[in-house]
Amino acid sequence: NVSETCPCCSGEQYSVCCEPFLQGNQIPVTAEQLMRSRYCAYVQHNADYLVATWHPEKRHPALSGLLSESFPGTDWLSLNVTRCNHGSHENEAFVTFFARYREKTNIQAIHECSRFLREDQRWYYVDGTAPPVGRNDRCPCGSEKKYKKCCG
């Protein structure tokens, strides 16, 4: 559906947000665009896109199979990008996000500060770390509640 909202929760239409990246018609200009399009690839079970956008040094032969095995039974619910930071040079960037998903009946979340590197004008996902969240900080899910009263 052309008018459907993008699964990445940007509020944009899918056709003008992540679809051009997933179809290979454009490449993401920013690390945030790559991060959002990778989230869409998880929603759509697109292991090829995920592998292609993983940094070559971090790819391993079993990656595509492991991704495909993780797809059934995982229902991605929402994405909230909380921060975008430049790295130590112009070809490094960090995107912090909070993504909720359902496995069977359990709702779970991933809170990650992802590291991206740009090589030959193309951004790649490298790895991520769990950012610290204080009990009294605003919840990274985007609810505006304190973390301890929300997802903490």
Side-chain angles (χ1 to χ4, degrees):
N1 183 347
V2 175
S3 65
E4 79 184 55
T5 305
C6 193
C8 84
C9 302
S10 65
E12 301 285 330
Q13 287 185 356
Y14 176 62
S15 60
V16 296
C17 192
C18 291
E19 185 178 43
F21 307 134
L22 287 152
Q23 289 190 341
N25 299 326
Q26 292 178 26
I27 60 169
V29 179
T30 65
E32 180 182 355
Q33 286 178 328
L34 178 60
M35 195 262 125
R36 288 182 175 280
S37 66
R38 284 176 55 83
Y39 175 85
C40 286
Y42 277 102
V43 170
Q44 298 174 355
H45 301 180
N46 186 339
D48 291 342
Y49 185 81
L50 291 166
V51 170
T53 56
W54 222 292
H55 193 275
E57 289 175 15
K58 297 289 183 173
R59 287 181 209 154
H60 52 84
L63 185 57
S64 182
L66 289 169
L67 286 165
S68 296
E69 285 170 25
S70 77
F71 292 148
T74 303
D75 183 22
W76 292 92
L77 304 172
S78 65
L79 173 68
N80 187 36
V81 174
T82 58
R83 281 184 83 168
C84 298
N85 301 76
H86 295 290
S88 57
H89 51 83
E90 67 177 17
N91 292 316
E92 180 182 52
F94 295 90
V95 179
T96 305
F97 70 91
F98 188 89
R100 292 172 60 243
Y101 63 97
R102 183 184 298 114
E103 271 184 355
K104 299 183 176 80
T105 58
N106 298 332
I107 292 182
Q108 306 196 39
I110 296 173
H111 187 207
E112 182 177 290
C113 177
S114 300
R115 186 165 69 109
F116 296 88
L117 289 175
R118 184 169 47 191
E119 294 178 1
D120 299 323
Q121 304 305 309
R122 198 175 279 260
W123 286 103
Y124 294 97
Y125 170 77
V126 180
D127 52 26
T129 57
V133 182
R135 288 171 39 77
N136 291 314
D137 291 350
R138 276 206 331 232
C139 192
C141 76
S143 70
E144 302 297 324
K145 295 179 189 163
K146 286 187 178 180
Y147 182 60
K148 66 183 177 190
K149 298 240 189 245
C150 195
C151 296

